Structure formats: structure tokens, C-alpha cells
Amino acid sequence: MANTAYVSATAYVGSGAVVFGNAVVLGNARVFGNAVVLENAVVLGNAEVLGNAVVFENARVFGNARVLENARVFGNAGVFENARVLGNAEVLGNAVVFGNARVFENAVVLGNARVFGNAVVLGNAEVFGNARVLGNAEVLGNAVVFGR
């Protein structure tokens, strides 16, 4: 993969972090720790990717969102506004996490799922298909939420 990554002058990429491929880091975004942003991923606004987090493929992280610890965001997934994805959580496919939502521990959000508002997905929970988790909802433990 050729490296044509772009980091704007106002963005920050720490010495241990990697931005590679066609990835773009814009605005006041910060990528640091051992975080990796690659392929066609975009991190912008005031977003942060840190720890050992990985954002790749066509994923987007923007607004004031944070992806941290060992979390992974990939596919065409998006994390934005004030959302947080952390722990070993994964957001993938066309899934979107936004608002003040939190996805953490070993939770997975995938497919066309949407997690937003103040919703929380944690533990080993999975949210997929066309599922919507919103408001103050909590999906936890080994729960599985599927939407048609």
C-alpha cells in the first residue's frame, strides 16, 4: 500500500501513532499513543484516536468523538459527535455511533445498526442488522439486539 496519508497542520499525530495509506487526519484531531489510522479512514474535527485503537478501511471518526484503548472502528462505520468507543469494542460495517453514546468492553455494533443519544452497549453485547439503540437504553451482558 502506497502511503499518501495526509495530516493537516492543525492536527496532531504522536510519535508512537501511525497514519498510513490514504488516511486523513484534519482539523484539531489527535492520534496518539500507539493508535493506528490507515487505508481510507478519516479522523477530523476534535476527534481523538488513542491508546492501541485502530481506525481503518473507510471508517470516519469526527466531532468530539473518541476511540481509545483497544477499540477498532472499520468498514464504513462512523463514530461522531460526543460518542466513545473503548475497551475491546468494535464498530464495523455501516454501523454508526453518535450523540453521547458509549460502546465498550467487548461489545460489537455492526451491520446498519445505530447507537445514539445516551445509549450504552457493553459487556459482550452485540447490536446488528438495522437495530436502533437510543435514548438512555443500555444493552449489556451477552445481550443480542437485531433489527430488520
Side-chain angles (χ1 to χ4, degrees):
M1 169 184 336
N3 187 25
T4 59
Y6 176 75
V7 177
S8 72
T10 55
Y12 171 77
V13 176
S15 62
V18 175
V19 177
F20 195 81
N22 296 315
V24 176
V25 180
L26 302 171
N28 295 314
R30 296 167 32 102
V31 179
F32 56 102
N34 295 312
V36 177
V37 178
L38 64 146
E39 294 173 351
N40 298 307
V42 176
V43 179
L44 66 144
N46 295 310
E48 293 184 339
V49 180
L50 60 144
N52 295 310
V54 182
V55 178
F56 61 106
E57 292 178 347
N58 298 305
R60 305 288 183 260
V61 179
F62 58 98
N64 295 309
R66 296 181 80 198
V67 178
L68 56 153
E69 296 174 356
N70 297 308
R72 294 172 11 124
V73 178
F74 57 103
N76 296 309
V79 179
F80 55 97
E81 293 176 352
N82 295 307
R84 304 286 185 262
V85 179
L86 60 150
N88 295 310
E90 293 186 337
V91 179
L92 61 141
N94 295 310
V96 178
V97 178
F98 61 101
N100 294 310
R102 304 290 185 262
V103 178
F104 58 103
E105 293 177 351
N106 297 308
V108 178
V109 179
L110 66 152
N112 294 309
R114 304 286 181 261
V115 178
F116 57 101
N118 294 309
V120 175
V121 180
L122 68 141
N124 295 309
E126 293 182 20
V127 178
F128 63 102
N130 292 309
R132 304 293 183 259
V133 178
L134 61 144
N136 293 311
E138 294 181 355
V139 179
L140 53 136
N142 294 313
V144 174
V145 177
F146 170 75
R148 292 188 207 194

